[in-house]
């Protein structure tokens, strides 16, 4: 993995700002709207009796929006960890955007990209096993 500093080009908006904004909107919706009552039940769980790999994600976001980090991690650890990481990345992206600070850029080789995908798949599988065991 190569790490370098890169200056943002004028007019360029980083993905961290875009996706972080979407995540912020999701947290605001979880905080101020009754999203749990608005969403339908999980179809996968209704058909199989087992939770799907994303079961509990909405409840996890709602818990995070109310500041209950431990409840969010218990409900769906992967969703909570992804939202926390996204919030940190959003903050970093906004700071580099506002203060014109060079940002860190990570370059991965093809082998490292393949390993990263495998790790991501293993994390989703481990999270799914956790959900099956605990729910």
């Amino acid at each position: 993995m190569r790490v370098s500093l890169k200056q943002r080009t004028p007019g360029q908006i980083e993905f961290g700002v875009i996706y972080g904004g979407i995540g912020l909107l999701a947290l605001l919706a979880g905080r101020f709207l009754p999203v749990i009552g608005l969403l339908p039940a999980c179809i996968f769980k209704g058909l199989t009796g087992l939770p799907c790999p994303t079961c509990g994600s909405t409840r996890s976001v709602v818990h995070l929006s109310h500041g209950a980090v431990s409840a969010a991690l218990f409900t769906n650890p992967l969703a909570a960890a992804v939202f926390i990481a996204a919030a940190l990345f959003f903050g970093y992206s906004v700071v580099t955007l506002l203060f014109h600070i060079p940002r860190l850029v990570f370059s991965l080789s093809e082998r490292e990209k393949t390993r990263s995908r495998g790790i991501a798949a293993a994390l989703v599988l481990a999270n799914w096993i956790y959900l099956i065991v605990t729910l």
Side-chain angles (χ1 to χ4, degrees):
M1 173 176 20
R2 242 183 28 218
V3 180
S4 59
L5 289 173
K6 182 178 179 185
Q7 189 67 35
R8 189 180 68 82
T9 57
Q12 177 188 16
I13 297 179
E14 300 175 10
F15 284 118
V17 174
I18 295 169
Y19 292 126
I22 293 169
L24 182 62
L25 287 175
L27 288 173
L28 287 172
R31 176 76 174 146
F32 297 110
L33 298 174
V35 290
I36 292 179
L38 297 174
L39 297 175
C42 179
I43 296 172
F44 185 85
K45 189 172 184 177
L47 293 173
T48 65
L50 297 173
C52 72
T54 61
C55 271
S57 296
T58 303
R59 287 178 284 137
S60 181
V61 170
V62 169
H63 288 306
L64 278 176
S65 69
H66 288 277
V69 177
S70 60
L73 288 168
F74 178 75
T75 306
N76 190 319
L78 189 59
V82 166
F83 261 88
I84 291 168
L88 293 173
F89 186 59
F90 175 67
Y92 171 76
S93 296
V94 168
V95 166
T96 59
L97 180 68
L98 292 177
F99 297 106
H100 304 290
I101 300 170
R103 59 188 171 92
L104 289 173
V105 176
F106 298 96
S107 301
L108 300 176
S109 68
E110 288 302 317
R111 184 176 179 187
E112 290 168 333
K113 288 178 186 178
T114 302
R115 281 187 181 164
S116 298
R117 289 182 196 109
I119 290 169
L123 286 172
V124 170
L125 182 61
N127 188 63
W128 193 12
I129 291 169
Y130 169 81
L131 293 174
I132 290 171
V133 170
T134 60
L135 295 180

